[in-house]
Amino acid sequence: MRGRPYDEMLDAGGSPRPHCRHYCDWLNEQAPERLVQKRAEADALFHRLGITFAVYGENAGTERLIPFDIVPRILPAHEWKQLEAGIKQRVRALNAFVADIYHDQEILKAGIIPAEQILGNVQYRAEMRGITVPGGIYAHISGIDIVRDDDGRFCVLEDNLRVPSGVSYMLENRKMMMRLFPEFFARHAVEPVEHYPDVLLENLKSVAPAGATDPTVVLLTPGAYNSAYFEHAFLAQQMGIELVEGQDLFVRDDIVYMRTTRGPKRVDVVYRRIDDDFLDPQAFRADSTLGVPGLLKAYRAGHVTIANAIGTGVADDKSIYPYVPEMVRFYLSEEPLVANVQTWLLRRPEERAHVLDNLPDLVVKEVHGAGGYGMLIGPASTRAQIEDFRARIKAHPERYIAQPTLALSTSPTFVESGLAPRHIDLRPFVLSGREITVVPGGLTRVALRDGSLVVNSSQGGGTKDTWVLGA
Amino acid sequence: MLSRTADHLYWMSRYLERAENMARMIDAHHRLSLLPRAPEAVLQGWQATLVSLGMDDLFLEQHATLTPLAAFDFLAFDREHSGSILRCVRAARENARAVRGTITSDMWETLNTTYLESHAFNSSMPESGRGEFIEWVKYRAHLTRGVTSGTLLRDEALYFSRIGTFIERADNTTRLLEARWRDPGGRGERLLAEASEWAVLLRAMSAFEIYRRVCRDSVNPTRVTEMLLMRDDLPQGVHRCLDELQANLTAVANDQSAETLRRVGELHAQFHYGRFEELCAGGIPVFLDRFQAKLRDLGARISKDFLASSDGQ
């Protein structure tokens, strides 16, 4: 049905692509035992460093390693340059879109997106109407998920504008590779990624409320049992800012303070890693114990900056995703530089009919789902699973979208039986401040099971270091 | 510093110190069991230890009879109650994990490795391997202290960590003494036999050579007790712990801590200016009991003044 997927390292004839030649030569010289030993070394180090994630649903507090593959994913300079331009363009448009829908709603007036799609969306926060955020920036940190289509072209699979995670693995993977294979970095110009925390801190300070001369930035975490806790602690440490939980903050007279051993200290910028729903029990979910009562009021009063802004979820919703290319044209008057994956909206009767006729070939996703849960991968599903999804779609078509089953590109990966191709994707991290910065590369996730297309760490995915080669 | 961060640092150090002292306590029994003592005496010794730790009832809930092996396993390996060494190691690591952004990477890796290695120990180990476990606990505690003192910035993080260490150590040293004094065979009536038993206690606390050096005397219960309480140059000594507590509490003093500082000063003055004979005039166990109550009060006040999430409203 489908041809062989695009391989990142080898061309159709099985020879190394030009930009991978050096690496492949080096790899071929390595004794297999050395690679086995290096992998064991990496595992031991990750354990000792405690670079783990918590697994939900099993024993609470269970910690696991995210499997790390010692074969990097390598991007040549010219390919990265194009991709980077496309991602920056996309993030500019998404940011303009969020600003617009909470102010003049020009895009709705122009009829480009049906108003009820936005205003009726659960991720739309009416509380944000008319609020001006510092610098006009809503998505300070975005993760744009990139895959290759069958022809090897990059396209965007998903935007993450709420609390995208994974950047700590990008940074730790690089550190690990430099520790394991220093000889390689000495010989090759691999673009560095270590400056990510510096850029992030600079950006967060730059969006502090007016009047804060030496702004205090904190990172708000749900706590040590959150699956991404390692990342929260890591980023706070790298930036030299306090890692706070909701209970460490309080609001008095619309000003946010943290509780310190020397009394209350004012907080200017909150880099939050908690979803909107849990941020403020007075404004959103009343049962949330993770948030800070009164935070929204302080935010609306302009006394604190929240990053990412509240209400960005409406822009990365899967039902809004199909409109992003239109946003690029509408706000920037430019043609999109990276394409979307073809997407059918199941609330549209004619598209629904097409999808229902072709379910075994398609991927169906829940509009609000995340983490690889709540999706159907047609070719990998049983008849019963497909029928189950068919019934669910018919009951609530507006909750689903469908896409063709992408081949996803593969990369040689070190598995039990040796090197074998495994499917991968890429999440570059985009930082928006006075300017937009994309740290070269990003996080490459790899589906370690043979043939699997699911790269999520919660479902058996691993990660690789991502190298952008110098020009 | 965040109050919660200070709280985690304080408890991280307390649990680590507790794990080490539990190991020393068990070690003392292990060494005692090598002396020619009647089996009843050995059991009475364990009983006294459980009482001084406040765990005698809990032990009897789970075990029909007291045996040295059951007591060892209960205090060392039992994951069902929070007082065992393995649980203390885990609690120290959990607290460290909550503040891994504040402590140094070296500290975190040391504590995390200790926790990971602790999985190798359990009650199915052969008896001969148990001494190794005790040595391992002591070694990891030494290592953690060294890494802390070698890498941590001299600021509040270190002060709160040390406050936790020394309040716990003062508590543990007095418990060790109390257990020995409560041991029916340990009241100064069988001088020769007791000399070797108290020497065992000193060895378990790594204080035997020091005793010889500073006391220049044969081992007797009162002199050992006096040394462990009154000397300010002995790291395990209660006086020394109070020196450290007072200094570190002074370094973190805030608007509401004046009364706590006064109390630690008062307690310290007893040891600094008091006479051992007068302090213990009412009996050594009575003094130890009262002292522990004062330490508990101090602990509660430290929590309230520095560690509780108070918003000053």
Side-chain angles (χ1 to χ4, degrees), chain B residues 7-186:
Chain B
D7 189 57
H8 285 301
L9 289 165
Y10 170 82
W11 284 106
M12 175 189 82
S13 298
R14 280 200 78 154
Y15 278 117
L16 189 73
E17 186 68 24
R18 193 174 296 176
E20 181 188 356
N21 283 292
M22 294 276 288
R24 290 184 180 280
M25 217 175 258
I26 294 174
D27 190 31
H29 282 292
H30 180 65
R31 290 167 189 260
L32 276 174
S33 70
L34 305 179
L35 297 178
R37 299 176 82 207
E40 309 87 69
V42 172
L43 288 182
Q44 280 166 351
W46 278 106
Q47 177 67 22
T49 292
L50 288 170
V51 170
S52 82
L53 291 169
M55 293 191 209
D56 47 328
D57 289 341
L58 188 65
F59 179 85
L60 288 174
E61 273 171 33
Q62 298 180 11
H63 300 84
T65 51
L66 178 65
T67 66
L69 197 63
F72 187 112
D73 289 351
F74 178 78
L75 294 177
F77 303 129
D78 195 333
R79 290 175 197 276
E80 300 300 312
H81 72 91
S82 59
S84 71
I85 293 178
L86 289 185
R87 284 284 295 271
C88 287
V89 164
R90 192 175 91 188
R93 185 261 189 183
E94 286 301 300
N95 278 287
R97 182 164 182 265
V99 292
R100 58 184 289 172
T102 303
I103 58 178
T104 61
S105 302
D106 301 80
M107 282 174 72
W108 160 248
E109 286 180 34
T110 305
L111 278 153
N112 192 40
T113 304
T114 303
Y115 168 71
L116 294 172
E117 288 180 8
S118 76
H119 297 324
F121 299 104
N122 57 60
S123 55
S124 60
M125 297 176 69
E127 266 191 82
S128 56
R130 296 178 180 220
E132 205 180 298
F133 172 70
I134 297 297
E135 288 307 310
W136 174 81
V137 176
K138 288 185 342 197
Y139 168 71
R140 297 305 301 186
H142 289 318
L143 190 63
T144 311
R145 250 194 311 276
V147 167
T148 303
S149 111
T151 63
L152 194 61
L153 189 68
R154 267 48 189 168
D155 73 351
E156 281 184 292
L158 183 72
Y159 304 147
F160 280 108
S161 157
R162 292 178 77 90
I163 290 168
T165 299
F166 288 105
I167 197 166
E168 185 68 27
R169 188 176 299 169
D171 183 70
N172 285 298
T173 297
T174 48
R175 278 180 202 275
L176 269 166
L177 287 170
E178 196 197 333
R180 207 77 275 287
W181 282 101
R182 277 182 190 282
D183 185 339

Side-chain angles (χ1 to χ4, degrees), chain A residues 12-319:
Chain A
S15 317
R17 295 184 186 278
H19 70 278
C20 294
R21 231 168 257 154
H22 273 306
Y23 179 80
C24 288
D25 288 348
W26 174 88
L27 189 61
N28 290 332
E29 286 166 17
Q30 306 305 310
E33 309 84 68
R34 178 162 191 257
L35 295 179
V36 171
Q37 179 226 324
K38 287 287 175 190
R39 190 175 62 172
E41 202 179 318
D43 276 0
L45 276 168
F46 275 124
H47 260 299
R48 200 181 86 206
L49 299 169
I51 302 179
T52 54
F53 73 103
V55 185
Y56 296 128
E58 298 174 31
N59 296 331
T62 306
E63 294 164 36
R64 275 211 208 140
L65 286 187
I66 294 187
F68 168 72
D69 183 48
I70 55 174
V71 181
R73 185 253 191 95
I74 308 176
L75 292 165
H78 67 274
E79 241 187 346
W80 171 252
K81 224 174 128 191
Q82 284 175 357
L83 182 59
E84 183 190 23
I87 295 168
K88 285 183 173 176
Q89 176 196 53
R90 191 171 176 104
V91 168
R92 270 191 294 145
L94 285 165
N95 207 45
F97 167 72
V98 181
D100 183 29
I101 56 164
Y102 290 122
H103 288 89
D104 300 333
Q105 305 186 334
E106 300 291 350
I107 200 162
L108 306 185
K109 289 176 194 156
I112 292 171
I113 307 177
E116 78 275 5
Q117 277 278 90
I118 302 297
L119 307 179
N121 193 305
V122 292
Q123 294 296 330
Y124 183 77
R125 305 288 177 186
E127 299 87 346
M128 290 296 292
R129 283 297 301 275
I131 296 186
T132 304
V133 298
I137 300 164
Y138 287 83
H140 307 82
I141 302 105
S142 332
I144 307 297
D145 288 352
I146 304 287
V147 296
R148 287 197 203 252
D149 64 14
D150 299 11
D151 303 324
R153 274 182 320 170
F154 285 121
C155 42
V156 176
L157 184 63
E158 199 173 287
D159 305 292
N160 296 279
L161 307 183
R162 300 174 210 187
V163 284
S165 65
V167 77
S168 57
Y169 297 101
M170 170 183 92
L171 296 168
E172 288 291 355
N173 287 353
R174 176 60 55 83
K175 267 201 265 177
M176 184 60 72
M177 288 297 272
M178 294 181 106
R179 200 157 167 172
L180 295 177
F181 306 111
E183 71 272 26
F184 198 89
F185 288 88
R187 279 196 293 164
H188 292 77
V190 178
E191 293 285 350
V193 296
E194 291 79 7
H195 53 293
Y196 180 91
D198 300 284
V199 178
L200 177 56
L201 181 61
E202 198 48 49
N203 284 355
L204 291 171
K205 283 186 170 172
S206 77
V207 294
T213 43
D214 183 16
T216 298
V217 183
V218 299
L219 193 156
L220 176 61
T221 173
Y225 295 105
N226 182 266
S227 64
Y229 178 73
F230 159 71
E231 175 154 312
H232 306 162
F234 173 84
L235 287 174
Q237 186 178 38
Q238 295 294 310
M239 290 191 281
I241 62 176
E242 289 289 355
L243 177 67
V244 302
E245 296 180 12
Q247 52 171 318
D248 299 323
L249 300 180
F250 69 96
V251 178
R252 194 197 298 158
D253 302 332
D254 292 348
I255 292 178
V256 182
Y257 296 93
M258 58 179 163
R259 305 171 207 270
T260 80
T261 52
R262 300 199 181 277
K265 183 171 191 328
R266 181 168 177 168
V267 170
D268 303 294
V269 181
V270 178
Y271 171 27
R272 52 83 172 238
R273 298 293 300 256
I274 293 181
D275 287 336
D276 287 357
D277 278 336
F278 298 95
L279 268 183
D280 179 351
Q282 285 176 6
F284 305 112
R285 279 180 60 159
D287 61 342
S288 169
T289 54
L290 304 174
V292 186
L295 184 59
L296 181 72
K297 262 187 84 203
Y299 183 51
R300 289 179 54 103
H303 294 160
V304 67
T305 303
I306 297 178
N308 288 349
I310 293 171
T312 52
V314 68
D316 70 10
D317 191 89
K318 292 190 182 74
S319 68

Side-chain angles (χ1 to χ4, degrees), chain B residues 180-240:
Chain B
R180 207 77 275 287
W181 282 101
R182 277 182 190 282
D183 185 339
R187 287 185 190 139
E189 289 141 15
R190 307 172 292 125
L191 283 181
L192 276 179
E194 280 180 46
S196 51
E197 289 167 19
W198 282 83
V200 151
L201 175 75
L202 286 170
R203 285 217 168 82
M205 294 184 74
S206 306
F208 182 73
E209 292 96 338
I210 293 178
Y211 181 85
R212 285 286 192 235
R213 229 175 87 192
V214 304
C215 297
R216 297 175 194 280
D217 195 357
S218 59
V219 177
N220 80 69
T222 309
R223 300 269 344 233
V224 171
T225 307
E226 181 180 1
M227 181 183 88
L228 289 174
L229 288 181
M230 304 306 290
R231 286 204 71 103
D232 72 347
D233 50 4
L234 180 72
Q236 304 91 324
V238 171
H239 187 176
R240 177 82 221 154

Side-chain angles (χ1 to χ4, degrees), chain A residues 313-367:
Chain A
V314 68
D316 70 10
D317 191 89
K318 292 190 182 74
S319 68
I320 302 304
Y321 162 88
Y323 299 103
V324 178
E326 284 305 317
M327 293 177 198
V328 173
R329 296 185 186 100
F330 183 77
Y331 295 111
L332 310 178
S333 306
E334 295 172 11
E335 273 306 302
L337 300 172
V338 266
N340 266 10
V341 175
Q342 186 182 13
T343 303
W344 295 283
L345 295 172
L346 299 193
R347 62 184 171 77
R348 293 182 181 157
E350 66 282 11
E351 297 185 16
R352 180 160 72 240
H354 169 80
V355 169
L356 289 173
D357 285 346
N358 293 283
L359 271 184
D361 297 331
L362 302 178
V363 174
V364 183
K365 295 176 179 172
E366 256 179 57
V367 170

